[in-house]
Structures are given as C-alpha cells and as structure tokens.
Amino acid sequence: MFSQRNWTKWTKGMGVALVFATATCGTTGLSAQQQEMPPALVEVAEASAEMMAPQAYMPGTVVSRNDSRIAAEISGKVKWVAPEGTLLKEGDVVAEIDDRNHALSLARAHSQIKRLKARIVYLKSDLDRVRELAVNKNVPPSRVEEAESTLLMTEEELAQARVTAEQAEVDLERTRVRAPFPGRVVQRLAQAGEYATPGRQIARLVDTEHLEVSAQAPVSLSAMLTDGQPVVLRRDASVMDTSIRAIIPVGDSLSRAMEIRVSVPAGSAYVVGTAVQVGVPASAPQQVVAVPRDALVLRTDGTYVYRIKDDNTAERLLVTTGAATGRRVAVLGGIENGDRVIVRGGERLRPGQRVQLREGSTQLANGR
C-alpha cells in the first residue's frame, strides 16, 4: 500500500501529465485548424521596374477654360437677364435688350430697297426710250449719258440700302445677347430696366464642363516640365493621373514661380474653385521597383506588402516607400520586378496563409 507521502507525489505527477497532455492536444488541434483554413480570396498585381522621380506637390485651383463676362454690343434698355444658375447651350439667349428702334430701322431700310428697285425699273425703261430717240436724232447724246448716269447712281443707292438693311438686321440680332459657349450663369451684372451701352457687362458665364487646374511651379523645375508630361492630382485621399496641358514659361520676379495648366480627367467631381495639389517631378527619374498603392498595408509598426510565393502562400514584407506617380509607388524591402503582390483581400491575411486568386485579378489590379 502507498503511504500518504507516496500517494501525494503520485497524484501531483498525474496532474502535471494530464495538464501537459491537454495542452499538447490543444496546440495540435489549433495548428491543424489553422492549416485547414480555406484559402483567402485575393486580387493581385505585378511589381514592375519603372522610371520614377520624387514628387513635389504644389497647391492648385480648379478653374474653367471658359469664364467670360458677357457684354452688350448695342445700346438700349435691358429687358431681361437670365437668372443665376441658368444652364445655357452655345447660342442660347443670355439677355434681351429693347429692340423697337432697331426693328424700325430695319423696316425703313427694307422700304428704301423697294422704292429704289421700283425706280430702277423705271430708269431702265426710260434709258431704252432715250436710246431709241437718240438713234433717230430726236435727242442729243448728252440726254443718253444723263439717263445712264441716273440709272447707275440709283443702282448704287440700292446697294447702300441693302448694306443699311443688313446692318439693321445685325443690330436687331445684337439685342439678344447670346452665350458664346455652353455654361452656367453665375452672376447677373445688369438688371431689367437698366440702360445698356456697347461694352456694358451683362452677365458672367462660366463653362462648368471643361475644367483644368491652375498651379504655380518653381522656375527651378522648368527644365523637368514639358507640355503633355504625366503628373498627378491629389485631393484629400484621392489621387488621379493626368497631364500638363500647357506651361506658361514666364516666371514672377517676386515668387520665382511660373504657371502651369493641368488637365482635369473627365468625370471628376470638381467644381470651379476647388483646392487641389499637383504632383510634379522634383528631380530626374531613376529606375525603381513599383507596386500599386493598394498593395500597401499600413500598420502602426510600419508599411507592409504581401507577396505571393510559388506555393500560393502569402509572405509579408516590411517595405519603405519612395517616389510615386498616380497609382504606382516605388518600394524598397525585397520586392523584385515581376513579383505578384496582393492588392485586394490582404487586410486580414496572416503570413504563410494560403491564397486563391480571383479570375482576371492581375489585369484588373494593374489597370495600366
């Protein structure tokens, strides 16, 4: 029989063994469970060797390519001006000016034309009769010359009357101030009842569809900037690829900056006056390995990229970011040209976890 001391030792030993066995079984079960986890569904893109330069960001403002203060071309009382916010097409009426005097002038010119036409018919007949009389020596030759001269002068008067009528038509048309381009009325500069004179501003019309960004670039960067050069637009967390439409190579003597005009991509939800940042190259480009921005996983302890190994498991790499152009970012930290990196579905991945690629994910993620 066991003594009390031996029984106590045997009981403790069995307890330790039981705890160890339980822990071992739990660990084995957890490991097996982790290995049996279904593959994570991810989208991937390829890292690529590219020429990139560090970006310098400068403030810019969205402006319209057509922003005009529409002026009157004729004198008269203002009858109507399109209210603020009115959307107009090219040729639509922006304002109307009293047209009664110009309508009367046009009617007077048309009346003059009819009178002269009738007189020319008579003078032609008279010239024919005079010429017949001259053949029979019944009138002197000077009478024929007089009839010809009178007819010629009347025909010139008719030509002048037609010019006057055309001018009256132009003036009458000018009483309707029309939009020179499609846009929206943003300000009325004249009100109904006021008197308009040629050059008097009537309304401000802004084209809200054709936009671009005006930014000031340091003159020192002029050697690295050209028309059509790719740049990026950044607003808050949104980044878009675009290009320089035009460089105005005239620097300000105080700020040492020159203006650049940057195209706004179609479909951008910008309005005139929006503040944005324009990213342009700050130095000569260098050869780097770049990945899509979506491949970056930001954590408190650093920035990571998940690379897919040959056995379709995810490998997490700590990287350092460098230059960026639009959706591509240069990285350092083991990523090489041609590596497959995860751009969707990597938020909850664990290092070594198996992954499954979505069909067509490489082409979708690159988008270049």
Side-chain angles (χ1 to χ4, degrees):
M1 294 183 65
F2 290 125
S3 65
Q4 182 67 30
R5 179 179 298 177
N6 291 336
W7 174 260
T8 302
K9 289 182 179 182
W10 181 82
T11 304
K12 289 183 178 179
M14 290 297 292
V16 172
L18 181 60
V19 171
F20 178 77
T22 303
T24 302
C25 292
T27 304
T28 303
L30 181 61
S31 178
Q33 182 181 3
Q34 182 175 356
Q35 291 178 358
E36 293 174 1
M37 289 181 61
L41 192 61
V42 298
E43 296 179 9
V44 301
E46 287 188 359
S48 58
E50 302 178 15
M51 296 296 293
M52 282 190 181
Q55 297 288 307
Y57 283 90
M58 59 201 69
T61 303
V62 176
V63 298
S64 173
R65 298 187 64 177
N66 297 301
D67 186 340
S68 178
R69 294 176 181 269
I70 310 300
E73 298 181 80
I74 204 74
S75 298
K77 185 174 69 173
V78 178
K79 294 174 58 179
W80 173 83
V81 180
E84 293 87 344
T86 303
L87 184 62
L88 301 174
K89 296 180 294 185
E90 182 178 354
D92 285 351
V93 177
V94 178
E96 293 182 359
I97 298 174
D98 189 2
D99 62 354
R100 288 175 296 176
N101 287 336
H102 304 290
L104 292 173
S105 297
L106 180 59
R108 187 182 303 112
H110 285 161
S111 176
Q112 179 73 355
I113 290 173
K114 291 181 180 179
R115 185 183 69 81
L116 291 173
K117 283 182 177 180
R119 179 166 175 76
I120 288 174
V121 171
Y122 166 76
L123 290 176
K124 285 182 178 180
S125 299
D126 183 63
L127 178 60
D128 291 339
R129 289 191 299 270
V130 172
R131 283 174 176 169
E132 291 177 1
L133 293 173
V135 171
N136 297 325
K137 306 295 183 178
N138 292 325
V139 295
S142 60
R143 178 71 180 85
V144 176
E145 294 176 355
E146 180 183 1
E148 291 176 345
S149 177
T150 302
L151 176 60
L152 181 60
M153 288 188 297
T154 304
E155 288 177 342
E156 289 300 318
E157 289 179 7
L158 177 60
Q160 292 180 5
R162 286 172 173 162
V163 172
T164 301
E166 185 175 352
Q167 182 63 57
E169 289 178 356
V170 172
D171 291 342
L172 184 61
E173 175 61 25
R174 285 175 175 173
T175 60
R176 291 174 175 81
V177 183
R178 298 186 182 276
F181 51 82
R184 194 178 293 272
V185 177
V186 299
Q187 186 179 9
R188 293 199 294 182
L189 303 175
Q191 301 294 329
E194 297 181 356
Y195 193 80
T197 56
R200 164 74 187 274
Q201 295 179 358
I202 300 295
R204 181 186 175 195
L205 184 67
V206 178
D207 184 352
T208 56
E209 297 296 329
H210 301 88
L211 306 178
E212 62 184 10
V213 173
S214 173
Q216 299 292 321
V219 174
S220 58
L221 297 180
S222 59
M224 288 174 284
L225 301 179
T226 59
D227 292 347
Q229 181 174 0
V231 294
V232 296
L233 284 181
R234 183 172 69 183
R235 182 190 179 197
D236 300 330
S238 174
V239 178
M240 293 186 297
D241 294 322
T242 183
S243 61
I244 296 177
R245 184 187 67 82
I247 295 176
I248 303 174
V250 178
D252 183 84
S253 59
L254 297 178
S255 63
R256 304 298 179 187
M258 63 182 184
E259 185 179 11
I260 61 173
R261 291 296 182 107
V262 177
S263 301
V264 172
S268 303
Y270 288 156
V271 298
V272 176
T274 301
V276 296
Q277 290 183 313
V278 179
V280 300
S283 62
Q286 298 177 350
Q287 185 79 21
V288 297
V289 175
V291 299
R293 287 182 180 272
D294 292 339
L296 303 180
V297 179
L298 306 181
R299 294 290 184 263
T300 56
D301 58 341
T303 301
Y304 295 91
V305 172
Y306 279 99
R307 176 173 61 185
I308 299 180
K309 300 170 65 175
D310 294 337
D311 59 355
N312 275 349
T313 58
E315 178 185 15
R316 191 175 74 167
L317 298 176
L318 179 65
V319 297
T320 302
T321 58
T325 56
R327 297 183 178 89
R328 309 285 291 181
V329 182
V331 292
L332 296 174
I335 301 295
E336 298 180 356
N337 182 32
D339 284 348
R340 296 180 301 168
V341 296
I342 296 175
V343 294
R344 295 285 190 279
E347 296 79 6
R348 298 181 179 180
L349 272 179
R350 297 179 181 179
Q353 184 177 351
R354 285 191 170 276
V355 297
Q356 178 181 351
L357 306 186
R358 290 181 179 174
E359 184 178 355
S361 64
T362 301
Q363 293 78 3
L364 176 64
N366 279 341
R368 293 184 295 129

